[in-house]
Amino acid sequence: MHPNKLRFIRIFLASIVGLILLLYLFIQIPWVQNKLVQKATQSLASSLGTEVKVGKVGFTLFNSIDLQEILIRDQQKDTLVYTHTLKLRISDIFFSTSQPIIKYIGLEGTKVYLHRTSPQWNYQFLLDYLNKGSQKKNSSYDLKKIEIAQLDFMQDDEWVGQSMHLKSANIIANFNHFNDSLIQIDQLVANKPFYTIQNKKGIRKTAPIIKKTINPIGELYFGNANTTILANQIKISQGKLWIENDFAKPTKQFDGFHIRLNELNAQIENASFIKDTIKAKVQLSTKERSGLHIQQLKTQFRMTPQIMELNKLYIKTNKSILGPYYAMEYKDLVEDFNDYIHKVTMKAHLINAQVATDDIAFFAPELNSIHQKVNASFKFNGTVADFKTEGLSAQYNNSFVKGNFSMKGIPEMRNTLINFNEVFAKTNYQDLLQWLPSLSLIKDLQVNQLGNLLFQGKFNGTLYDFVADANIQSALGKANTAIRIQFPLNAEPIYEGKLTTSHFNIGKLLDIQELGWINFNGKIAGSSFALEKVKTNIEGAIDSLEFKKYIYTHINTNGVLQKKAFDGIFKIKDP
């Protein structure tokens, strides 16, 4: 080749390289970078028909971008997105043959405001622009790390009537893999996140008619059937979760309309979100506004559109320890939890659990005065308002009870129906008084003389109106009862039923020294347990009665015992 041609080629190539280097150096000048970005934002703002601004800019040509004061307004001139600082670190996409790698995204002072007062959201224009005249392309990339400081995210849905607000001091996420089909998180740390759901009256006049059925598989409020999410570790520090269903003042006890979890600390491991199912190993602690303190909760967690399950459970609250299984079933997560007491079905299997009535009282304040703790094992199925237990075995102080137990009507304890069947129990007056405070109304019967009571039978009714059908053994003798006892408000107790006694020391019970034991078979009906007020109809046969150390036999009676006097028929066929 001619030497002049070679020289020309060299000069030309050198000029091209020099021009590229000059252009590269020129682009590094902040003034030039800001002018280029301003030009781009002006073009974007013109296309969107709204305001788009970027304050300061700094970037290298191949792998680094720093932006400040980024602002995008919606078409109503409200702030849609604002961030004080955006830092982006990427792979050398111009020289790499592999998929782009976003090494780092950093956001500081970021605010996002999503809003609608009609079926259309305020960001719809942005989606339309991005989808305008474009076909779906394979834009595969990988992401390694996101760090967000001072996040303020608001989704205000005035159309339906719900707002969701997330604020967090700091969120850091490291990824092993990130694409449309698989997001694999190595570690996610959220510091002081505060997530609030506020339900309110929507603008929409008529809501779509939704058939109340169990959500179909594949549908979850926040699910994506095409993306699998895996996480090795998630940490939440000093978080809050509030669910507000109106603007009224919460009640003092647990209020399903105002669930407020504070001081939420959690460590979640081996988490997965596949189709409609979330699974994870969870350990957390939190305090609810009502005073309920979950000091420690450890479980293998599973959640689907129909169930929230806590398997291998250990939970320690203010005064209770529960485990190893608990689940909540529902048809609609948000709606049913608004009426937790009536709509959420709980299933539990407790083994050697310590159950404190003070903790139950957060949900049923009528139990506030009992202050007792029971060691129990049983299977539980039902709502707070209507539940059944099977295989109940419980111990309290020197008392124990076994049987099948159900309650219906909580939190209205006076009208709550209790069915306690196949009961085998041992108790005494002091223990029994803690659970049946109405016994303290009995002044003239020496109930404490009964000693240890063995009870075998059933108990049906309420705490203030019940039928006891049982065989009873006591220190005073034996009795077989089928008696209904009522404790009306501001009135004397009422009782009626059948009673059979065997060598029962009625004298000690009535505190009458002349009387001894009695064998009786008959019916009783009356009111009051105070001797000055008692009025009792007695009809039956007294096989034998000890009085002043003499035993009378073959006695038939039919009359009224009132004011320490008997008025009626009293026939004795004593030999």
Side-chain angles (χ1 to χ4, degrees):
M1 184 177 291
H2 196 279
N4 290 332
K5 290 183 178 181
L6 289 173
R7 186 182 301 167
F8 175 77
I9 293 172
R10 291 171 184 168
I11 293 172
F12 178 75
L13 292 175
S15 298
I16 295 297
V17 172
L19 183 62
I20 293 173
L21 291 174
L22 181 62
L23 180 62
Y24 175 77
L25 293 173
F26 186 69
I27 291 176
Q28 301 307 304
I29 300 172
W31 181 85
V32 175
Q33 293 178 350
N34 282 284
K35 284 296 182 182
L36 290 173
V37 171
Q38 287 175 11
K39 197 74 175 177
T41 55
Q42 288 173 2
S43 176
L44 179 60
S46 177
S47 299
L48 293 175
T50 187
E51 183 179 2
V52 179
K53 284 185 177 181
V54 176
K56 295 181 180 180
V57 180
F59 61 84
T60 60
L61 189 59
F62 304 117
N63 60 11
S64 176
I65 299 175
D66 290 341
L67 304 175
Q68 292 185 0
E69 308 295 341
I70 302 170
L71 172 67
I72 301 176
R73 295 190 186 276
D74 62 22
Q75 294 182 320
Q76 286 73 45
K77 298 183 179 181
D78 290 327
T79 299
L80 178 61
V81 178
Y82 171 83
T83 186
H84 180 267
T85 304
L86 167 63
K87 295 181 179 181
L88 182 65
R89 303 293 181 264
I90 59 178
S91 60
D92 295 330
I93 58 176
F94 292 102
F95 303 109
S96 176
T97 58
S98 61
Q99 67 179 16
I101 297 176
I102 301 175
K103 297 179 180 179
Y104 175 81
I105 297 176
L107 295 168
E108 183 179 350
T110 300
K111 295 183 179 180
V112 179
Y113 180 62
L114 309 182
H115 179 237
R116 70 171 177 173
T117 56
S118 69
Q120 183 171 291
W121 286 94
N122 65 333
Y123 58 83
Q124 185 61 47
F125 74 101
L126 192 56
L127 295 180
D128 293 341
Y129 173 79
L130 296 174
N131 295 327
K132 186 178 180 181
S134 64
Q135 296 180 350
K136 189 173 181 179
K137 298 178 181 179
N138 183 11
S139 56
S140 179
Y141 62 92
D142 201 2
L143 173 63
K144 293 304 180 184
K145 184 174 183 178
I146 294 178
E147 183 173 3
I148 305 173
Q150 302 303 323
L151 172 66
D152 189 344
F153 178 91
M154 167 69 81
Q155 179 177 295
D156 188 7
D157 190 348
E158 292 191 64
W159 178 247
V160 171
Q162 184 185 76
S163 64
M164 293 183 288
H165 193 189
L166 172 62
K167 298 182 73 174
S168 183
N170 186 262
I171 298 175
I172 301 174
N174 294 295
F175 300 91
N176 292 329
H177 202 82
F178 193 107
N179 59 35
D180 289 341
S181 61
L182 176 63
I183 298 175
Q184 188 172 23
I185 302 169
D186 180 48
Q187 185 184 57
L188 188 152
V189 178
N191 182 30
K192 295 182 179 179
F194 185 1
Y195 183 60
T196 304
I197 298 175
Q198 176 70 67
N199 293 309
K200 54 189 177 181
K201 186 178 181 180
I203 297 174
R204 181 177 60 185
K205 293 183 178 179
T206 57
I209 298 174
I210 301 174
K211 188 177 180 181
K212 292 298 179 184
T213 58
I214 294 176
N215 294 347
I217 293 176
E219 290 188 14
L220 196 59
Y221 298 100
F222 38 83
N224 185 341
N226 298 319
T227 302
T228 294
I229 301 176
L230 306 175
N232 292 332
Q233 186 181 73
I234 300 173
K235 289 185 177 181
I236 298 173
S237 177
Q238 290 299 305
K240 295 182 180 181
L241 172 61
W242 289 17
I243 302 175
E244 304 285 341
N245 292 291
D246 58 33
F247 296 95
K249 184 179 180 180
T251 58
K252 185 178 180 180
Q253 67 271 15
F254 179 86
D255 187 341
F257 278 78
H258 304 275
I259 300 173
R260 299 178 183 178
L261 301 179
N262 300 308
E263 298 183 36
L264 176 61
N265 295 284
Q267 181 162 318
I268 303 168
E269 298 177 346
N270 301 321
S272 65
F273 190 177
I274 302 173
K275 294 184 178 179
D276 67 347
T277 301
I278 300 173
K279 293 182 179 180
K281 181 180 179 181
V282 178
Q283 182 170 335
L284 65 82
S285 62
T286 188
K287 293 181 179 179
E288 210 279 325
R289 175 201 55 81
S290 61
L292 179 64
H293 183 191
I294 300 177
Q295 299 176 17
Q296 186 178 26
L297 186 153
K298 296 191 292 185
T299 187
Q300 193 65 42
F301 177 81
R302 180 174 70 96
M303 181 177 177
T304 75
Q306 300 89 33
I307 188 171
M308 188 183 299
E309 181 184 60
L310 289 79
N311 197 10
K312 297 181 180 178
L313 171 67
Y314 173 85
I315 179 170
K316 183 178 181 181
T317 62
N318 307 53
K319 298 181 179 181
S320 302
I321 297 177
L322 309 175
Y325 181 84
Y326 177 72
M328 294 173 285
E329 296 182 351
Y330 41 83
K331 293 182 179 180
D332 185 283
L333 176 64
V334 176
E335 181 177 317
D336 289 357
F337 269 68
N338 290 344
D339 189 7
Y340 185 93
I341 290 178
H342 299 95
K343 290 187 177 181
V344 177
T345 298
M346 299 173 289
K347 292 186 176 181
H349 184 195
L350 303 185
I351 300 176
N352 295 325
Q354 298 177 25
V355 182
T357 58
D358 286 348
D359 289 345
I360 301 175
F362 289 117
F363 303 91
E366 289 80 1
L367 298 179
N368 269 325
S369 60
I370 295 182
H371 307 300
Q372 304 303 321
K373 184 182 289 187
V374 175
N375 292 328
S377 298
F378 57 86
K379 291 183 178 180
F380 180 102
N381 186 6
T383 65
V384 173
D386 184 2
F387 67 83
K388 296 179 180 179
T389 67
E390 294 182 356
L392 172 64
S393 176
Q395 184 167 350
Y396 166 76
N397 284 350
N398 295 315
S399 302
F400 71 84
V401 61
K402 296 180 180 180
N404 296 319
F405 182 75
S406 68
M407 294 182 73
K408 184 176 182 179
I410 292 175
E412 301 296 331
M413 289 304 298
R414 187 164 192 89
N415 298 316
T416 294
L417 182 63
I418 302 171
N419 290 311
F420 203 176
N421 299 313
E422 300 179 27
V423 181
F424 179 63
K426 175 186 176 182
T427 189
N428 57 70
Y429 176 74
Q430 291 300 325
D431 287 355
L432 200 58
L433 187 64
Q434 304 303 318
W435 294 94
L436 297 172
S438 53
L439 287 178
S440 62
L441 299 174
I442 304 173
K443 301 298 184 180
D444 295 309
L445 293 181
Q446 304 302 308
V447 182
N448 60 313
Q449 293 291 328
L450 292 169
N452 288 326
L453 289 166
L454 286 177
F455 180 101
Q456 190 169 3
K458 58 185 179 180
F459 176 101
N460 302 106
T462 71
L463 291 176
Y464 300 91
D465 183 358
F466 61 87
V467 175
D469 189 349
N471 292 314
I472 302 172
Q473 296 184 41
S474 71
L476 298 183
K478 298 179 181 180
N480 180 274
T481 67
I483 296 178
R484 180 184 180 185
I485 302 177
Q486 301 175 70
F487 294 90
L489 286 172
N490 303 317
E492 293 297 317
I494 302 170
Y495 45 88
E496 63 175 339
K498 297 179 180 180
L499 175 65
T500 301
T501 66
S502 176
H503 208 76
F504 189 87
N505 195 324
I506 191 172
K508 285 189 176 180
L509 181 63
L510 299 176
D511 196 21
I512 299 175
Q513 294 183 357
E514 291 85 355
L515 275 176
W517 50 264
I518 184 174
N519 291 324
F520 172 79
N521 183 11
K523 299 177 182 179
I524 60 172
S527 62
S528 186
F529 294 112
L531 290 182
E532 295 296 330
K533 298 180 180 180
V534 68
K535 182 179 180 181
T536 304
N537 294 307
I538 302 174
E539 178 184 354
I542 300 175
D543 180 68
S544 53
L545 170 66
E546 183 183 16
F547 182 70
K548 292 186 177 181
K549 296 184 179 181
Y550 180 82
I551 299 174
Y552 295 88
T553 61
H554 301 96
I555 304 171
N556 291 314
T557 180
N558 187 354
V560 177
L561 178 64
Q562 186 175 14
K563 294 183 179 181
K564 299 183 180 181
F566 180 80
D567 183 11
I569 300 173
F570 199 79
K571 295 181 179 180
I572 302 176
K573 294 182 180 180
D574 190 53

